[in-house]
Amino acid sequence: MRNSPLLAKACLSYVPDECPVYPFMTGREFLKFVAYAKQCQISAEVFRIAASLGLAEHLDTRISDMSLGTQKKTMLAAAWIGEPLVMLFDEPSNGLDLAAREVLIGLVKASRTSRTMLISTHDEYFISGLEARVIMFDTLFQDGLPEKHAEKRFASN
């Protein structure tokens, strides 16, 4: 993958805390755009995910007219496009109602055996539902990285 950055990017998905997507696009257009960028098709699984999140009825709505939660659902559905091997989530449950949070917990739990998933969140309900290994940020460098190594990493940034 080091010699093929486009292939590496196609194997990665990212859901940011905020949804910096194109406001003039509809949800469906955004999903097509992500599929185009990853040079793949939108699978039936992605549409099932969208439906399970309650997004299906909003796919033809412009993103600028969607609520924060619906925008987040659009980003979450897009995360599964192209069957990524690595998924990064920053506060994925922000803006979601309880039912959508439950669906997201189920999606993450079902996907974690076939993907590497890194999730940053403050949502304790979401964390407890995942039943996953939790690394607290303030102990991150105590979890196997020597202190000297941590200082070098921060010094190079």
Side-chain angles (χ1 to χ4, degrees):
M1 300 255 183
R2 181 175 283 168
N3 296 329
S4 181
L6 289 178
L7 180 60
K9 288 178 187 177
C11 295
L12 173 72
S13 70
Y14 172 60
V15 177
D17 181 18
E18 296 183 12
C19 301
V21 295
Y22 302 104
F24 54 86
M25 287 184 170
T26 65
R28 188 177 314 279
E29 290 168 339
F30 179 72
L31 296 179
K32 288 179 182 178
F33 176 74
V34 171
Y36 174 79
K38 290 188 168 195
Q39 300 178 347
C40 66
Q41 299 294 316
I42 303 171
S43 67
E45 178 190 17
V46 171
F47 286 113
R48 279 193 299 277
I49 289 169
S52 69
L53 289 168
L55 179 61
E57 65 191 55
H58 302 285
L59 285 177
D60 294 315
T61 301
R62 286 177 49 166
I63 291 173
S64 62
D65 295 332
M66 292 178 177
S67 68
L68 171 65
T70 303
Q71 289 178 14
K72 182 69 80 161
K73 291 173 185 179
T74 304
M75 297 294 292
L76 289 167
W80 268 266
I81 293 175
E83 301 180 15
L85 298 175
V86 177
M87 302 180 83
L88 307 172
F89 298 92
D90 185 9
E91 301 292 351
S93 61
N94 276 1
L96 298 183
D97 56 47
L98 183 57
R101 284 167 56 200
E102 289 289 340
V103 168
L104 180 57
I105 288 168
L107 288 168
V108 170
K109 288 170 77 171
S111 298
R112 68 182 175 200
T113 59
S114 60
R115 297 173 170 97
T116 299
M117 305 178 103
L118 299 171
I119 302 168
S120 172
T121 185
H122 292 88
D123 184 343
E124 291 184 23
Y125 176 84
F126 183 67
I127 292 168
S128 67
L130 291 178
E131 301 168 0
R133 180 172 179 226
V134 175
I135 301 171
M136 301 303 288
F137 188 76
D138 61 345
T139 64
L140 186 61
F141 292 104
Q142 297 170 12
D143 224 24
L145 288 177
E147 199 62 39
K148 272 196 317 192
H149 188 262
E151 288 172 15
K152 287 181 186 177
R153 283 187 54 160
F154 286 116
S156 66
N157 288 340

